[in-house]
Structures are given as C-alpha cells and as structure tokens.
Amino acid sequence: MNLPPHITVQDGRLKIGGFDCGDLAERYGTPLYVTDQDRIIALFHAYRNELATRYPRVKVLYAAKANGNLAILRALAREGAGADVFSSGELTLALSAGMAPGDLLFNGSSKSRQDLALAVEKGVPVSVDSLDELHVLDEVSRQAGRVTPIAFRVNPALDVPTHPKIATGLATSKFGIPHGMIRDAYREAMKCEGVLPVGIHCHIGSQILDLQPFVEAARVMVEIVRDLVAMGIRIEFVDLGGGLGIPYHHQVDERAPSPREYAEAVVPVIRKGLGEIGITPGLWVEPGRSLVADSTILLTRVNSTKKAHKNFVNVDAGFNLLVRPAMYEAYHEVIVAGKADMQPAETYTVAGPICESGDILAADRRLPAVHEGDLLAVLDTGAYGFSMSSQYNCRPRCAEVLVYHGQAALMRRAETIEDLTAPMQLPPWLS
Ligand SMILES: *Cc1c(COP(=O)(O)O)cnc(C)c1O
C-alpha cells in the first residue's frame, strides 16, 4: 500500500506521526480524528516555494472550509498563510488564528448584508459573485466610510473532469459571473465609490487530478486581465482558486499532480501572459483539500460484525462524521489498525451507526478478518471530514487530536449530549 510519510506500519500496527493508533484510541476514545501538523506545514511550504521560485509575488490562501479547526488555521498562520473564507464564521476564525485581514479573501455566492458589513469592518477583500452583491457591498462600504478592495469571481465555463457536485466552473454552476459578462461587471464596479476592483478570482472545482483545466483557467484569466487593464483597472492580484486533487486510492498507483507539477504547468502561462500585458500582480492560490486531506485519519471502533447478504462491519463513525462517501460516492481507504500487515481474508462493507441505509463508509473492501472491538482507520479524512460533520441522530461530534513532533493533544474535545441539548428550549406552552 502507498502511504504518505507520516503514516507508517510497525509490527503490524498503524501509526500516525509516530503515534500508535491503538494507543491514541485508548487515550482519547473513538471515534477520533487525528491530524499530523507537520504534514500540513510541509505541503504548505511545497506550494509556496514551488510557486515563489517561479513567480515573484505569491500568496497561498488556505481554503478554511476544508478543515476549520482553529489549531490548523493557527499552524498555517504561523507559516504566513492567508485564507479563503466562505462565511462570517470562517472569517472570524481566520482572524483569531492570527491571519492578517489583507491575507484573506471573502468568497461565496450568497453573502448577507451582515457578512459584507463584517468584511468591510475588518478590512477583508471580497470576491464579489453578482451585481446585486456589488451594489449591497458598495452601499455598506460607503455607509462605513470605507473603500473595500474587491475581485470578481469569474466563471470560466470550463468542463472539468471531477464529481458533478464539486465541479464549480461549469457554465451551469451557481458560482461566479459568466466569463462573457465579466467586463461589464468591472465597468459597473468602477462607478461605485465604496469598492475598488483590484483583483480577479476563479475556482474551477475540487478533486481535479488533471492539470489541463488549471492551465485553461489561467489562460482565460489572463485574457480577461488584458481587457481589464485596457479599461484602466489596476489589477493587484490574480487568484486561481484551489481544486488540486489527492490520490484517495492507496492500493493502486493513483497519482495526483504535486504542487511542483501544478506550478510548472500554471505559472508559465501566467508569467508570459501578464508579462505581455506589462504587469506583475500578486499570484494567489487557494488550496484546501491538497493541503489537509492526507494529514488526517478517522479512527473508528468496530461495534459488531454481521453476516447478512454482505459481511457488515458496524463501526462507531458514520456519515455524521464523514459524509463524503454518502454525498459524493467518495472512496476512502480503510486499514485495520492492529492488523495492518495482514493479508485480506474477507470482503467487508463498513457501515456507520446512523439510521440511514446510505450510511456506508466503505463498500466491498478486502480486509483481514475483522472482529468486534477492532479499530479501523479511515484515511485521507482531513478535508471535508470534520468540517462537514453533523449531529444527526443526536450524536455528539467526536474529538480531534493534533500530533506534532512527538506530542499529541486535543484540538477539539468531544461534544457531550449536554452540548447537543444546550441550545434547545421549550416554547412557553410546553414548559
Ligand atoms: C472550496 C474552495 C477552495 C478549495 O478547494 P479545494 O478543492 O479543497 O482545494 C478554494 N477556493 C474556493 C473559492 C473554494 O470555494
């Protein structure tokens, strides 16, 4: 099995960052998310260095929605990362992690007036997704006596090979302003006193394993920038978004482009195109998944096994904690943590505790013999794992542990049933 460097097998036991998964599960209980901080930081540096050796002004904005734990944002902030934020909550979290307002970009196709007022108040640039939003932001900014730097989110209308639910740059996507209407949007923005158009932004989708769509998007962006500059706009940043995929299949030789390959493919298009225009704006990227996905495993305990029309392994984590298999038919590798060197013996379907037939974490997997009490590790759960979790079935969310240089500590305690019921209240006629 191909494993990233922080995930190892020793005497048949699975380890993360040098910690035995069985020991972590004993100490913190299950289910449990465990994240290796060094892995995230190494990937962040790879991104920044590969881009920065090829282009002078680079900013890496971590897409906070992939994994919004404060500790992860803090670890990245310490290395100089900014963040792509998608809500007032993510914006507030990124600032409290120590990121500078100017290193954030507030994205989203449906921001409220309150969201925009927060961006204005904190001085966070906004990626504007519609003309309506432009006018509300203009008004909010003027009322506050501010001029808010903006980009427009362009929909480059590319057909990107990925799951339809995470293709965001299709002509039919809800995101962005269609590429044919974008010049008029900037003209409109130039008339607004409360905003200053300084950037351009796109994000074409997620879990993209082919570099060509990124190259195409970069070409489209350069073309638009050429026209914007001719219109008299001073472009200070070009933000290419995120979307690079990772190899979720570890049994076969699945490959994803590395940050180096990404930089080698995309930067020349940007450098040549912007060079011809005669400008050197900042080059921003917004990786989410490719920075954090493989840093994290989800440890889950086997409650029971059952022979039915299939061999079921019933575990204590379900789509309440990891929704990707149910939502996107996503594949996550599963390893029996205490039997990591054993040959497969049976075909198993790993099912969660949720009252839904679709609560399957992994279907028809060849695994060593699994018994009640065994511990399973679900790999590559650092992106869109905990961050998409819910309390469905009245299940408190689990703890998250961070490991770093031989230390392990909670970065989120497990919720309790009291946490679930605390916000509930009885209307007067029921109390
Ligand atoms: C989700 C998102 C990202 C990150 O996408 P990944 O596929 O996780 O890299 C970046 N930018 C925007 C605007 C996004 O919505």
Side-chain angles (χ1 to χ4, degrees):
M1 191 159 334
N2 300 316
L3 293 174
H6 58 294
I7 298 187
T8 53
V9 176
Q10 206 178 335
D11 303 326
R13 298 176 68 88
L14 192 71
K15 296 189 161 191
I16 177 164
F19 283 89
D20 184 276
C21 291
D23 292 347
L24 290 171
E26 283 290 315
R27 186 157 143 205
Y28 296 103
T30 61
L32 184 69
Y33 273 103
V34 186
T35 297
D36 185 296
Q37 181 178 334
D38 284 321
R39 176 63 174 170
I40 297 173
I41 299 310
L43 288 170
F44 170 74
H45 284 296
Y47 254 105
R48 195 173 52 188
N49 297 343
E50 295 298 344
L51 291 164
T53 54
R54 293 173 176 84
Y55 191 86
R57 298 176 54 207
V58 167
K59 238 188 227 185
V60 178
L61 280 68
Y62 165 57
K65 72 178 187 289
N67 189 327
N69 191 293
L70 180 63
I72 288 175
L73 285 162
R74 176 84 189 121
L76 282 162
R78 271 204 329 208
E79 305 299 320
D84 147 35
V85 296
F86 228 82
S87 66
S88 290
E90 288 179 5
L91 188 157
T92 305
L93 208 61
L95 292 178
S96 58
M99 290 173 178
D103 288 342
L104 308 184
L105 185 66
F106 194 176
N107 288 306
S109 56
S110 187
K111 305 182 195 80
S112 67
R113 200 170 273 264
Q114 288 82 350
D115 290 331
L116 295 170
L118 184 69
V120 168
E121 181 202 327
K122 300 295 181 188
V124 173
V126 177
S127 173
V128 175
D129 200 282
S130 67
L131 291 184
D132 266 4
E133 185 187 336
L134 174 72
H135 290 123
V136 177
L137 178 61
D138 179 36
E139 191 187 312
V140 171
S141 281
R142 281 187 286 112
Q143 278 165 0
R146 301 283 180 92
V147 178
T148 301
I150 66 158
F152 279 104
R153 165 97 174 244
V154 182
N155 181 347
L158 297 174
D159 193 2
V160 173
T162 185
H163 191 282
K165 282 188 187 160
I166 48 177
T168 56
L170 300 176
T172 52
S173 160
K174 76 167 178 174
F175 294 108
I177 293 180
H179 149 232
M181 295 160 78
I182 196 70
R183 291 155 187 85
D184 284 341
Y186 279 90
R187 268 186 210 105
E188 191 67 23
M190 288 169 82
K191 295 187 216 148
C192 300
E193 283 170 15
V195 302
L196 185 64
V198 293
I200 183 162
H201 175 220
C202 74
H203 170 67
I204 58 173
S206 200
Q207 185 52 16
I208 301 167
L209 293 171
D210 177 5
L211 288 170
Q212 205 48 41
F214 294 107
V215 172
E216 284 304 315
R219 280 214 184 92
V220 171
M221 295 288 268
V222 168
E223 253 174 58
I224 298 170
V225 169
R226 192 185 314 273
D227 293 348
L228 299 182
V229 170
M231 282 160 55
I233 293 176
R234 278 193 47 173
I235 292 292
E236 290 169 15
F237 69 86
V238 175
D239 184 338
L240 297 178
L244 203 58
I246 66 133
Y248 281 99
H249 295 80
H250 295 261
Q251 310 264 12
V252 295
D253 194 25
E254 189 182 31
R255 279 262 307 137
S258 64
R260 168 175 296 181
E261 290 164 326
Y262 173 83
E264 280 172 352
V266 167
V267 175
V269 177
I270 292 290
R271 246 193 35 197
K272 178 162 180 292
L274 298 179
E276 284 167 8
I277 301 167
I279 58 170
T280 316
L283 174 61
W284 295 9
V285 293
E286 303 173 331
R289 185 191 311 274
S290 54
L291 280 186
V292 294
D294 77 3
S295 69
T296 301
I297 59 177
L298 172 59
L299 296 177
T300 182
R301 188 73 73 184
V302 176
N303 283 327
S304 58
T305 63
K306 177 168 69 179
K307 266 200 195 329
H309 71 287
K310 285 182 172 188
N311 277 324
F312 285 105
V313 172
N314 300 312
V315 296
D316 60 5
F319 78 55
N320 54 323
L321 294 176
L322 181 65
V323 78
R324 300 189 67 258
M327 186 159 169
Y328 308 122
E329 292 104 45
Y331 181 97
H332 284 268
E333 209 67 71
V334 171
I335 297 178
V336 187
K339 304 174 181 174
D341 58 352
M342 284 190 198
Q343 290 303 313
E346 292 260 19
T347 301
Y348 292 104
T349 288
V350 181
I354 298 300
C355 183
E356 298 274 340
S357 308
D359 187 28
I360 303 294
L361 287 182
D364 302 323
R365 299 298 174 82
R366 298 287 299 162
L367 298 174
V370 179
H371 302 291
E372 178 269 320
D374 278 346
L375 183 69
L376 305 189
V378 186
L379 302 194
D380 304 313
T381 51
Y384 310 109
F386 193 97
S387 66
M388 291 179 100
S389 65
S390 74
Q391 299 166 324
Y392 183 47
N393 267 180
C394 221
R395 287 188 171 269
R397 278 178 281 234
C398 69
E400 296 180 285
V401 162
L402 192 63
V403 301
Y404 175 67
H405 288 193
Q407 305 163 76
L410 281 177
M411 59 175 172
R412 182 194 305 266
R413 67 162 171 83
E415 290 174 351
T416 62
I417 292 183
E418 290 68 45
D419 290 326
L420 294 189
T421 53
M424 296 184 192
Q425 52 189 46
L426 291 173
W429 62 92
L430 288 176
S431 55

